[in-house]
Amino acid sequence: MIRAAGAVLWRDGSVAVVHRPRYDDWSLPKGKVDAGETVPAAAVREVLEETGFHAVLGRYLCQVSYRAFGRPKVVEYFSAQAASGAFVPSEEVDELRWVPFAEAGSVVTRDEDRAVLEAFLAEPADLATVLLVRHAKAGKRDSWEGDDDLRPLSSAGWRQADGLRSMLPLWGPARVHSAPRVRCVETVQGVAEGLGAGVLLEPRLSEEGYWPDREAGLVRLLEIADGAGTPVVCSQGGVIPDVVSTLADLGGLSLSGTPCKKGSTWLLAFRRPEPGWSTSDSHTSWPSLVSAHYFPTALPTPTP
């Protein structure tokens, strides 16, 4: 199988579409995942190579499957906001157009790209996103003689944390939050260091802080989601599945499950409420979860 990644690159109400002279078609930027590369990293790299723009990833859109060169091909797409950059023609892409959202579907050549644009247009482009991370591996509880709150990451856990430090910045995070346990903080410490910031501790998102008052924990996550920029939030396996499933139920979002491996990430996207909402309002006044995508690992998977 050919694995590939791409994005709907947008700015100021317009989408970037590129002309590929080899196929004489208009397409969304995409390309194959390189060996040793994650799918999100491939999406950002391909956008830069084909459009000249650095991209900040947003929500996960969809997966498209078709046959190419006699082999099955799977392309995973994200929403991505254009940051700095400028288009330079190349042999691969000789023209770029910024097309208004509503007109982009009539410009692209392939039906698969039209399906991706439909998924993109189903929600506002500027949704609030949260990267909800389960802490990385920290050995076995029974093998740790000290206070369990102080149990650190194992060598395998540090490798997972390094993967998160590489992958999570693709969403341009603005701040890092964590349950107070050492293994949670260590999992996202590298991301915070990359921002030149500290880790903000969130007692209500630890297992012992969440379950005595679930609603307060959920409200705290929604408050974080409604803040400025994209937050990274690290929590525990006893919290994350309940948070994701409950928010999905409140938002009317159907999920097939809520897996939560150590070192995994849920990419959550929320539609913001109208200005003036408060935590004392009904649930319909909170940010509403409209998209949830699970990354079982931040480490690259083998590519054929």
Side-chain angles (χ1 to χ4, degrees):
M1 183 180 70
I2 302 171
R3 297 174 63 240
V8 176
L9 184 69
W10 66 274
R11 68 176 188 187
D12 301 327
S14 297
V15 169
V17 295
V18 296
H19 182 259
R20 303 182 298 175
R22 178 181 179 184
Y23 305 103
D24 190 22
D25 69 357
W26 288 93
S27 173
L28 299 173
K30 63 180 179 294
K32 290 200 301 183
V33 177
D34 287 342
E37 187 176 44
T38 62
V39 168
V44 171
R45 176 183 54 77
E46 286 291 339
V47 166
L48 179 61
E49 290 178 358
E50 295 197 358
T51 71
F53 285 87
H54 296 275
V56 178
L57 294 181
R59 67 186 172 104
Y60 181 88
L61 294 177
C62 61
Q63 182 183 94
V64 172
S65 302
Y66 54 93
R67 295 192 68 82
F69 308 107
R71 298 168 61 188
K73 183 173 183 177
V74 174
V75 190
E76 299 189 62
Y77 284 93
F78 298 83
S79 170
Q81 187 171 12
S84 61
F87 175 69
V88 177
S90 66
E91 290 184 3
E92 185 176 1
V93 174
D94 62 355
E95 189 176 351
L96 179 147
R97 292 182 187 173
W98 289 100
V99 183
F101 287 171
E103 300 174 18
S106 64
V107 175
V108 294
T109 303
R110 298 176 63 91
D111 289 340
E112 291 86 356
D113 283 352
R114 276 186 278 276
V116 176
L117 287 166
E118 288 178 7
F120 171 75
L121 293 172
E123 296 292 343
D126 57 348
L127 295 173
T129 53
V130 174
L131 296 157
L132 182 57
V133 180
R134 184 182 178 186
H135 70 75
K137 294 180 179 179
K140 295 183 178 179
R141 180 178 302 184
D142 295 342
S143 302
W144 176 252
E145 297 180 356
D147 184 341
D148 189 59
D149 287 358
L150 304 179
R151 180 156 49 100
L153 296 185
S154 64
S155 56
W158 281 112
R159 288 193 294 273
Q160 291 177 317
D162 286 343
L164 291 164
R165 185 172 189 170
S166 296
M167 186 179 83
L168 299 186
L170 299 171
W171 281 268
R175 50 206 159 84
V176 178
H177 304 252
S178 175
R181 291 187 173 179
V182 166
R183 55 190 177 274
C184 295
V185 174
E186 288 183 338
T187 297
V188 292
Q189 183 71 54
V191 180
E193 290 173 355
L195 297 175
V199 177
L200 304 171
L201 299 183
E202 301 291 345
R204 288 200 178 277
L205 297 178
S206 67
E207 288 175 348
E208 66 273 20
Y210 179 78
W211 286 106
D213 191 343
R214 290 174 63 244
E215 184 165 332
L218 290 166
V219 167
R220 179 58 192 143
L221 184 68
L222 291 171
E223 289 173 339
I224 293 170
D226 201 48
T230 295
V232 172
V233 181
C234 187
S235 185
Q236 299 175 258
V239 174
I240 292 173
D242 188 74
V243 166
V244 174
S245 61
T246 302
L247 293 178
D249 288 343
L250 291 172
L253 180 65
S254 178
L255 299 178
S256 59
T258 52
C260 188
K261 292 175 60 177
K262 291 178 180 177
S264 63
T265 301
W266 276 96
L267 171 59
L268 308 178
F270 296 85
R271 189 186 302 115
R272 295 184 186 273
E274 294 298 321
W277 79 281
S278 71
T279 56
S280 63
D281 292 334
S282 68
H283 289 182
T284 57
S285 299
W286 295 351
S288 178
L289 185 68
V290 298
S291 173
H293 182 72
Y294 179 68
F295 297 98
T297 180
L299 300 173
T301 55
T303 303

